[in-house]
Amino acid sequence: MSAEPQSILSVGAILGEGPVWVERDAAVWFVDIKSHRVHRFDPATGEARSWDAPGQVGWVLPTDDGLFAAGLQTGVHRFDPADGSFTLLHAPEAHLPGNRLNDATVDPEGGLWFGSMDDAEEQEIGRFYRLHKGEVVESGLPAVSITNGPALSADGRTIYHTDTLGRKIWRTRIAQDGALSDTSLFVEIEDGAGYPDGPVVDAEGCLWTGLFAGWSARRYDPDGRLMREVRFPVANITKITFGGPDLTTAYATTARKGLDATALTEQPLAGDLFAFDPGVAGLPGHIATI
């Protein structure tokens, strides 16, 4: 695997997002939010498969019943790939029909952390939630227009949450009882470098973030210092995940959203799924208990 990102699956996603390595079937799962599609890619065989979702779908993550949780505009659903069905489980923002769910992760206890956002990308009404064993709790973190992440440290005691339009990634401590405290600014992306999109933490405790309109993904050390920037041949890098048998391959989703005809001609790989050698392993994923 090259250190330079290579397109491995041409899907032309309008808004590719939410890549996750699902160990139980050794595949990368991701979504195209605006096309209402769920994708699965097996890197060993090159086989790809897709499902239609009943609305904008921000992510799919494996659950302890062998199925998936899916974040749609209307709430958290159970997704069964066998028949392609989506069943609504929780609608935490039924009172905000202009919002949608956008990004998510799972903690070591099986808790599913997810964020919402204003689909018009204007009002600061996006919030973070935790779903565990049937109970949804609002995190209390400040509302922003576009949430991304969250991402969690290996021990599950630090949560990184992104204010995309504000170009800031924040860090908050999680106590043993689940209470959040000691929020501090982790990284602020400089003007002109793009917008921080989906974050993920690697096995060395460093945080990676995709940069929408920034042509790159970046790696920051635990103190927020920039360690590496991986350049892409497309502008909109949304999120990476670590996969493969030893979790040493990085898979990245990208997007065509916001690109005009000229930009699309100059970026024929925009919206594809990419892979590269990150030079570090990722953390094993967790299974959600919803």
Side-chain angles (χ1 to χ4, degrees):
M1 179 63 61
S2 170
E4 300 294 324
Q6 306 291 323
S7 171
I8 58 170
L9 181 65
S10 179
V11 289
I14 298 174
L15 186 53
E17 262 291 4
V20 60
W21 177 257
V22 179
E23 183 179 2
R24 67 189 179 209
D25 69 345
V28 182
W29 292 72
F30 63 103
V31 301
D32 181 351
I33 296 174
K34 295 300 181 181
S35 295
H36 307 178
R37 299 282 280 170
V38 175
H39 298 287
R40 176 189 181 274
F41 177 69
D42 183 337
T45 65
E47 178 187 4
R49 186 179 175 191
S50 302
W51 294 259
D52 290 320
Q56 297 188 83
V57 54
W59 43 266
V60 292
L61 289 165
T63 52
D64 59 358
D65 58 1
L67 302 179
F68 289 82
L72 274 71
Q73 182 152 7
T74 49
V76 179
H77 290 62
R78 189 181 304 281
F79 167 53
D80 185 349
D83 60 10
S85 63
F86 290 80
T87 305
L88 180 63
L89 300 176
H90 302 279
E93 293 188 344
H95 61 296
L96 296 171
N99 271 18
R100 64 173 174 84
L101 303 190
N102 190 52
D103 198 5
T105 194
V106 181
D107 65 30
E109 289 78 40
L112 176 62
W113 293 82
F114 61 94
S116 65
M117 63 170 281
D118 175 17
D119 195 37
E121 303 180 9
E122 297 173 350
Q123 301 182 72
E124 293 187 348
I125 51 176
R127 296 189 177 275
F128 288 101
Y129 299 86
R130 184 178 188 260
L131 165 60
H132 188 225
K133 295 182 178 179
E135 182 180 7
V136 177
V137 177
E138 204 271 303
S139 70
L141 294 171
V144 297
S145 177
I146 302 177
T147 64
N148 260 295
L152 292 157
S153 59
D155 63 3
R157 300 272 69 90
T158 299
I159 185 169
Y160 297 91
H161 43 104
T162 299
D163 171 5
T164 292
L165 289 187
R167 302 199 310 272
K168 294 180 176 68
I169 303 174
W170 299 87
R171 174 170 53 192
T172 299
R173 292 295 297 167
I174 306 175
Q176 291 293 335
D177 64 359
L180 302 183
S181 63
D182 299 326
T183 296
S184 61
L185 181 64
F186 177 66
V187 165
E188 182 171 4
I189 303 300
E190 69 273 19
D191 191 22
Y195 296 87
D197 210 311
V200 66
V201 176
D202 66 30
E204 296 180 357
C206 297
L207 182 133
W208 293 74
T209 183
L211 290 176
F212 199 95
W215 299 83
S216 67
R218 286 182 175 180
R219 184 187 190 221
Y220 290 91
D221 75 9
D223 293 320
R225 292 186 293 256
L226 179 61
M227 299 185 70
R228 184 181 176 193
E229 184 170 66
V230 178
R231 301 291 294 179
F232 282 72
V234 297
N236 300 327
I237 318 309
T238 54
K239 190 172 184 177
I240 75 166
T241 191
F242 296 91
D246 50 7
L247 301 178
T248 56
T249 298
Y251 297 96
T253 46
T254 65
R256 298 165 62 89
K257 183 176 181 288
L259 302 180
D260 61 20
T262 299
L264 288 171
T265 298
E266 296 170 348
Q267 301 175 48
L269 303 180
D272 286 3
L273 179 69
F274 285 77
F276 65 94
D277 179 0
V280 64
L283 293 169
H286 300 292
I287 305 298
T289 304
I290 61 171

